[in-house]
């Protein structure tokens, strides 16, 4: 095997408590590069259709890319793949921090976990030695305490840990996987881990990542660094990270009152300049010069003394728009609470906003909420609602199912109030105000995920000059395909999704990095990369097709298609779902009627094995 | 300089942000050995009488002993010395864990801090490099989060940290200093640190401790280890640590209802066997084979999910006896909350119990407690009371002053309800049920501290066979002097106080360890060690005499002298204070009338410089 990879997969069978090492397959490497490529191929090959997401046969694939653990910038993220209990389909989720690099240092490219342990355990990966250890004593602990106690047990505070909180143990459908407060948040990976009785994976590695051509690699890294420095977005993003609430409110597409308004009152409280005042320290991921993270602390008011790492834009929104108020303190306190309890902030905030709408409509009442008054503008119940969801107490039990399933169970019109696609709640962009954003949320194979094909062209005019009218349905098929495919090949790396969004990494530099690391010639060819990107998206789709997904699942709740944004800069707009899907499927070479890749497309992408 | 010591003191002047290194004085080493010896000598020499405990001129001396960081067992504790805001006198407090060893690895024997920083800072000691760093962003954070964020800032999770929580920042008179949940708890060291705007001292060291005679040292360590293993207490103490609530209740000396009863109802809930059920992991200090610590977690009931390291016996008592109930869950939750907020559990529990008595007597009412019902047997308000004390909210503000000062301020008879000596609240032994215990609490120079001369002979029949009737006032002067002096010389080491209490270390082994480490012949001589022990106690007393202390300060509240224990195995007993003090002073060679060491005694102990 060449550089970049460690040439080792760890397979863990929790049912039989068996751990085996396995070499990387060279064909897999060539045909899928790594990261998201490996994830979808292995999940497609190894999971039978109809696998229970919380059952023994579901797998969790933890992986870091071929550039992780090197000095390339923003490439040391890790991804986790599994069949999602939220969507019932293929899922990928990822996180920055240090866990991904540590996986490589421990000599591994991937850890694949299946089975269910007979009692709570954690996996200890110690530089070539592996152990399934007791975690009964950790069960019930929050993520922060879990980190602390595992480090103490192992006698090494520098161990890197990914773990779940109480919400994952209880199968909350949007429980995430947390590593030092950074989250693989979406899709219920925490619930899958909890279902396996796997509290955490702790890693310590002292190895390094070999490179095929050190000099070429160094030159490519130098080029990448120079590119970052020359980019006009670099310093702003470095300082503010994702604090873009003002921009999205200014466009009138800040989802408010469960997507019934597009501007939240007093949004000025949530401006980047306000968060900057609370920023007490910058934070960073392994080998990333951007340092976009922050520790923020609030000094006064109801939430005085609260602090968090972040909050990111999505979280700022999740605890403001959905309940229609703008308390910066709450965004800080709620973010930390979600991190501690192991919850995805987007789906948590969205589920709470969903409950506020049901309360307004009388579908649920105080009798259902243990007396909490879920009235818009009243943010007081939010922290308690978060706790209820994490512990599945009272109304939290049904909300823990996600808004699609909760709507079904509650009925009486609640079915229409879950703002989700494929069971995954929408993030902080109203699709009616940015149609390429919307089309991505609509068609991404994991549900309404902004990171799979973020359309910065509509909001920031990057990464490439692309003539774009954010309200026009036309032309968005092509743009969405471009965004999704480029994201897909950059996620083989695994590059942080902020960098392409900011136009901070061109495909040619990526190609040179891959070539320098691995020595595999094809990886330097942009055409090859684009093909891999498209191939990944198509194979993801075929995973879902096998599970029964089709065009019917690429659909927004009717609110976004039939009701227009009532006022502000996005007023009057609705989402033209059918028209845009037709165009998108056509661009993709998929069957327009079913939204399924054609035989020809699959063959073109060397995915003949996926043809039914 | 010889082995054991690093021959380096770090002096930190926070006012002028000046850091200087200084060598150890060889005479100081010979005449005081280390630890408690160094602390009292330097504090005596460097503090002017009348120094404001919270002012610029008070010093904090952090030290580890000559055996810390070696493989000798139970010797890696650290001690902190300062003039106490609780007592107004000399204070010493100590903690296990890993900070003490790390101080040595960083090449230091001591850190002496004076002055006040103009804004919150922490001290970063990095293997010979020193830095005063900003801590504004840490101000307000609890101890656990402070550890996490400092480690992240420094990019090294193995940094060892001693810090204060919100209570120390607010000058709570019994705020402690915390390192990974282990506390220098008593006497308000946290308030002194807070007054200096010093949030933490972080240390990373990669050096080692040299030994004068490696072979002799190894032989002594072997002897020590064999002694531990042969000791009948070893396995019990290893398993249960300090869980002795059943023993103390069985003696009828478990202080209940603010020392008005001697047995707490349903004490069976607090038996060691019950805590053993909650024990999820053992914990340990650096180089200690005893592993007496535990992580305990509670699975059900009101406090389900709560966990803590510990609780130690004193804490078990502090959140049961004082409020007269026996909820094991509360002891767990309250211990962790005190660790997080930075509070000494003994004085916190005692202060809450004091408030319960005032409430019963109508001296305070619901109007003073923000509606909390402080009725005996109602444990619900306890966690909220802890928070109120830490943040000085409502009634917590006056309770934060300690029961002596709070009694003075509240008046109306509250003066008699503070169960303390010299301003330090009594621990979990009723002096009327164990008179040598009591005499130690009465006469110790830092106030009612059990660790300065614990009398295990009365409770456990160790460490030496000593014919003892626990109720008899006679003969306790001699026993107390023996316990206090031996503790004092073993705390030059700095040995964990549990070991001598369990009879687990004889003076001759200690002497051989000191000789092997330092090569200083006198240290092997038991007579020399006994002299050092007595010298320390006398110099501590002279520090206090200079501050105006005398026999009048060696006094219990009248409850313990005039009211007898109402029922149970200690029923009918009162504490014969005057008789026992007379005997004690006589044994000590102190003036019986004033409780002040005589000129002759001071000269005999080479303390001529302390004669007025």
């Amino acid at each position: 095997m060449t550089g970049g990879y460690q040439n080792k997969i760890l397979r863990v069978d929790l049912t039989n408590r068996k751990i085996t090492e396995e070499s990387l397959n060279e064909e897999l490497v060539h045909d899928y590069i790594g990261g998201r490529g490996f994830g979808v191929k292995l999940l497609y090959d190894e999971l039978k259709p109809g696998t229970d997401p919380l059952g023994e046969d579901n797998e969790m694939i933890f992986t870091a890319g071929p550039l992780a653990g090197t000095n390339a910038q923003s490439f040391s993220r890790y991804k986790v793949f599994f069949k999602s209990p939220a969507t019932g389909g293929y899922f990928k989720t990822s996180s920055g921090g240090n866990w991904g690099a540590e996986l490589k240092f421990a000599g591994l490219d991937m850890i694949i976990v299946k089975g269910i342990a007979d009692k709570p355990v954690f996996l200890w990966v110690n530089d070539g030695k592996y152990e399934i250890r007791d975690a009964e004593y950790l069960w019930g602990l929050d993520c922060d305490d879990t980190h602390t106690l595992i480090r103490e047990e192992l006698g090494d505070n520098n161990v890197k840990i990914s773990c779940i909180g109480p919400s994952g143990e209880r199968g909350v459908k949007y429980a995430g996987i947390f590593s030092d407060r950074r989250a693989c948040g979406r899709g219920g990976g925490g619930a899958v881990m909890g279902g396996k009785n796997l509290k955490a994976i702790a890693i310590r590695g002292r190895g390094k990542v070999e490179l095929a051509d050190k000099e070429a690699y160094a030159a490519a890294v130098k080029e990448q660094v120079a590119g970052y420095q020359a980019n006009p977005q670099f310093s702003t993003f470095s300082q503010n990270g994702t604090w873009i609430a003002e921009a999205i409110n200014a466009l009138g597409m800040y989802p408010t009152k469960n997507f019934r308004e597009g501007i939240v009152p007093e949004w000025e409280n949530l401006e980047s300049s306000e968060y900057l005042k609370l920023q007490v320290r910058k934070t960073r991921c392994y080998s990333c010069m951007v340092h976009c993270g922050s520790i923020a602390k609030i000094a006064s008011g109801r939430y005085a003394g609260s602090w968090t790492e972040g909050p990111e834009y999505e979280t700022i929104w999740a605890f403001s728009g959905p309940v229609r108020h703008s308390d910066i303190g709450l965004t800080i306190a709620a973010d930390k609470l979600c991190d501690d309890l192991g919850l995805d902030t987007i789906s948590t905030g969205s589920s709470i906003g969903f409950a506020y709408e049901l309360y307004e409509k009388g579908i649920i009442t105080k009798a259902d909420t243990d007396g909490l008054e879920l009235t818009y503008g009243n943010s007081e119940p939010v922290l308690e609602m978060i706790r209820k969801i994490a512990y599945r107490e009272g109304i939290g039990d049904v909300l823990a199912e996600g808004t699609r399933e909760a709507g079904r169970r509650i009925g009486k019109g609640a079915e229409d109030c879950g703002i989700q696609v494929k069971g995954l709640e929408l993030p902080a962009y109203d699709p009616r105000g940015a149609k390429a954003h919307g089309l991505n949320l609509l068609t991404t194979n994991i549900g309404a995920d902004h990171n799979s094909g973020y359309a910065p062209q509509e909001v920031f005019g990057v990464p490439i000059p692309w003539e774009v009218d954010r309200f026009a349905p036309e032309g968005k098929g092509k743009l969405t395909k471009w965004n999704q495919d480029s994201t897909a090949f950059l996620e083989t790396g695994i590059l942080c999704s902020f960098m392409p969004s900011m136009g901070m990494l061109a495909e040619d530099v990526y190609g040179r990095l891959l070539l320098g690391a691995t020595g595999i010639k094809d990886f330097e060819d942009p055409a090859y990369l684009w093909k891999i990107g498209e191939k990944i998206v198509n194979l993801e789709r075929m995973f879902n097709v096998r599970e029964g997904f089709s065009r019917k699942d690429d659909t927004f709740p009717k609110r976004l298609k039939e009701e227009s944004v009532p006022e502000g800069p996005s007023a009057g707009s609705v989402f033209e779902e059918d028209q845009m899907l037709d165009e998108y499927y056509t661009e993709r070479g998929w069957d327009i009627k079913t939204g399924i890749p054609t035989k020809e497309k699959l063959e073109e992408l060397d995915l003949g094995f996926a043809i039914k």
Side-chain angles (χ1 to χ4, degrees), chain A:
Chain A
M1 183 63 59
T2 175
Y5 307 97
Q6 302 293 34
N7 193 27
K8 201 180 284 174
I9 303 173
L10 195 72
R11 287 199 181 260
V12 180
D13 174 351
L14 291 173
T15 303
N16 300 302
R17 297 196 173 227
K18 227 178 95 180
I19 299 179
T20 46
E21 291 181 347
E22 184 175 297
S23 294
L24 267 186
N25 176 316
E26 292 199 26
E27 204 178 303
L28 176 74
V29 168
H30 177 269
D31 294 352
Y32 292 88
I33 304 179
R36 191 164 155 193
F38 285 1
V40 64
K41 182 61 163 67
L42 291 173
L43 220 55
Y44 186 91
D45 287 350
E46 301 189 2
L47 255 54
K48 284 191 193 128
T51 297
D52 174 5
L54 299 179
E56 275 201 328
D57 296 332
N58 198 6
E59 289 187 354
M60 301 192 78
I61 302 175
F62 296 78
T63 184
L67 308 183
T70 76
N71 66 340
Q73 299 296 299
S74 326
F75 277 107
S76 288
R77 295 176 71 79
Y78 72 103
K79 288 187 104 69
V80 188
F81 303 86
F82 49 86
K83 183 173 172 183
S84 164
T87 71
Y90 160 88
F91 213 89
K92 65 169 180 91
T93 170
S94 80
S95 169
N98 296 286
W99 195 92
E102 199 76 12
L103 180 71
K104 296 288 289 289
F105 299 149
L108 297 173
D109 299 298
M110 259 183 277
I111 299 174
I112 304 179
V113 180
K114 68 170 190 177
I116 297 177
D118 58 350
K119 53 181 193 164
V121 297
F122 76 92
L123 176 66
W124 170 216
V125 172
N126 183 15
D127 230 5
K129 294 192 295 290
Y130 314 107
E131 216 179 318
I132 293 169
R133 291 176 80 114
D134 169 60
E136 279 195 285
Y137 84 95
L138 299 166
W139 211 248
L141 264 54
D142 72 26
C143 293
D144 184 48
D145 290 342
T146 301
H147 278 71
T148 302
L149 292 195
I150 289 180
R151 284 173 173 151
E152 290 180 8
E153 173 180 338
L154 300 175
D156 182 349
N157 279 328
N158 286 330
V159 167
K160 302 301 184 291
I161 293 158
S162 281
C163 74
I164 60 170
S167 61
E169 298 171 5
R170 285 162 181 78
V172 175
K173 294 295 193 297
Y174 39 94
I177 303 164
F178 288 73
S179 183
D180 283 321
R181 296 187 304 278
R182 291 180 182 266
C184 289
R186 308 219 71 193
V192 179
M193 244 171 114
K196 296 192 173 309
N197 263 331
L198 180 63
K199 180 71 175 173
I201 301 182
I203 304 186
R204 189 73 161 97
R206 291 175 180 81
K208 53 178 279 193
V209 180
E210 300 297 336
L211 300 166
D213 182 341
K214 280 186 194 175
E215 276 178 41
Y217 195 74
V221 170
K222 205 171 160 185
E223 192 179 351
Q224 185 195 14
V225 169
Y228 273 32
Q229 285 166 334
N231 188 295
Q233 308 274 345
F234 178 73
S235 64
T236 310
F237 193 68
S238 235
Q239 180 186 274
N240 292 346
T242 61
W243 298 334
I244 56 167
E246 57 261 47
I248 307 301
N249 273 285
L251 295 170
M253 52 179 274
Y254 192 84
T256 299
K257 273 185 84 171
N258 208 21
F259 288 77
R260 289 182 291 164
E261 297 175 5
I263 300 172
V264 72
E266 300 179 6
W267 57 266
E268 299 83 356
N269 296 338
L270 307 174
E271 271 195 10
S272 55
S273 56
E274 295 301 313
Y275 282 98
L276 202 58
K277 289 180 198 160
L278 308 184
Q279 187 180 79
V280 292
R281 213 182 72 215
K282 295 297 294 174
T283 62
R284 58 175 293 183
C285 296
Y286 184 87
S287 196
C288 181
M289 61 196 274
V290 181
H291 295 64
C292 74
S294 301
I295 302 285
K297 196 180 74 170
I298 190 119
S300 58
R302 173 195 289 274
Y303 303 102
S306 293
W307 70 277
T308 194
E309 180 159 0
E312 302 295 336
Y313 166 63
E314 298 296 332
T315 303
I316 293 170
W317 166 78
F319 301 107
S320 58
V323 297
R324 200 176 187 276
H325 73 98
S326 299
D327 183 336
I328 198 167
L330 177 66
T331 66
I332 306 274
D335 187 28
K336 183 64 162 62
L337 187 58
C338 286
D339 284 353
D340 285 344
L341 299 179
L343 286 167
D344 172 44
T345 54
I346 297 175
S347 288
T348 301
S350 191
S351 297
I352 293 171
F354 164 80
Y356 270 62
E357 181 174 349
L358 301 191
Y359 191 88
E360 184 189 53
K361 292 184 165 163
I363 299 172
I364 60 171
T365 67
K366 256 192 190 180
D368 301 300
T369 64
D370 297 323
L372 297 175
E373 289 188 40
L374 308 185
T375 45
Y376 286 111
N378 176 24
S379 66
E380 205 180 317
V382 170
L383 294 186
E384 183 54 23
M385 287 292 286
I386 293 172
R387 279 191 205 91
K388 281 177 176 294
I389 290 169
Y391 290 101
R392 285 185 172 272
E393 287 170 9
I395 186 90
D397 191 31
V398 67
L399 294 177
E401 294 298 315
T403 58
R404 180 172 69 174
E405 180 60 21
R408 282 178 192 151
R409 293 194 191 176
I410 294 168
K412 300 183 241 171
E415 303 88 332
D416 296 328
C417 300
I419 309 301
Q420 48 73 35
V421 177
K422 303 183 181 73
L424 193 76
E425 285 72 23
L426 261 73
Y429 310 89
D430 194 313
R432 294 165 294 189
K435 300 281 169 74
H437 260 83
L439 186 55
N440 170 61
L441 299 177
L442 188 63
T443 58
T444 292
N445 293 306
I446 66 170
D449 169 47
H450 56 299
N451 282 325
S452 294
Y454 194 85
Q457 302 90 351
E458 289 183 327
V459 185
F460 304 112
V462 288
I464 55 165
W466 197 294
E467 202 62 44
V468 66
D469 169 359
R470 65 187 175 103
F471 297 114
E474 296 81 13
K476 298 301 169 65
K478 191 173 178 181
L479 177 55
T480 300
K481 179 176 185 299
W482 194 95
N483 286 327
Q484 290 178 340
D485 289 354
S486 61
T487 301
F489 74 69
L490 290 167
E491 285 192 344
T492 58
I494 302 165
L495 182 65
C496 171
S497 60
F498 294 143
M499 302 309 114
S501 299
M502 297 286 149
M504 278 166 66
L505 192 83
E507 65 211 47
D508 59 328
V509 183
Y510 182 48
R512 281 190 283 281
L513 286 166
L514 283 178
L515 178 65
T518 69
I520 300 172
K521 284 259 180 294
D522 277 347
F523 291 180
E524 198 195 2
D525 176 11
Y528 187 79
L529 295 177
W530 279 100
K531 181 181 167 183
I532 294 288
E534 189 177 2
K535 182 176 172 177
I536 287 170
V537 173
N538 276 265
L539 187 54
E540 289 174 342
R541 178 139 299 233
M542 289 315 295
F543 181 101
N544 282 354
V545 165
R546 205 169 59 175
E547 301 285 347
F549 285 55
S550 66
R551 177 165 178 150
K552 72 179 189 313
D553 298 289
D554 291 338
T555 188
F556 279 132
K558 61 185 181 190
R559 174 168 305 163
L560 304 178
K561 298 178 288 193
E562 297 174 7
E563 299 168 24
S564 62
V565 179
E567 54 185 354
S570 293
S573 177
V574 295
F575 193 87
E576 300 87 348
E577 181 172 289
D578 282 332
Q579 177 188 349
M580 292 176 69
L581 276 183
D582 287 351
E583 193 194 286
Y584 173 80
Y585 293 148
T586 305
E587 283 292 335
R588 281 236 170 262
W590 293 353
D591 181 79
I592 290 187
K593 213 168 140 193
T594 62
I596 296 176
T598 60
K599 185 166 171 292
E600 295 68 33
K601 175 54 73 178
L602 294 175
E603 278 166 352
E604 173 198 327
L605 296 169
D606 308 322
L607 295 173
F609 64 87
I611 299 169
K612 301 224 172 202

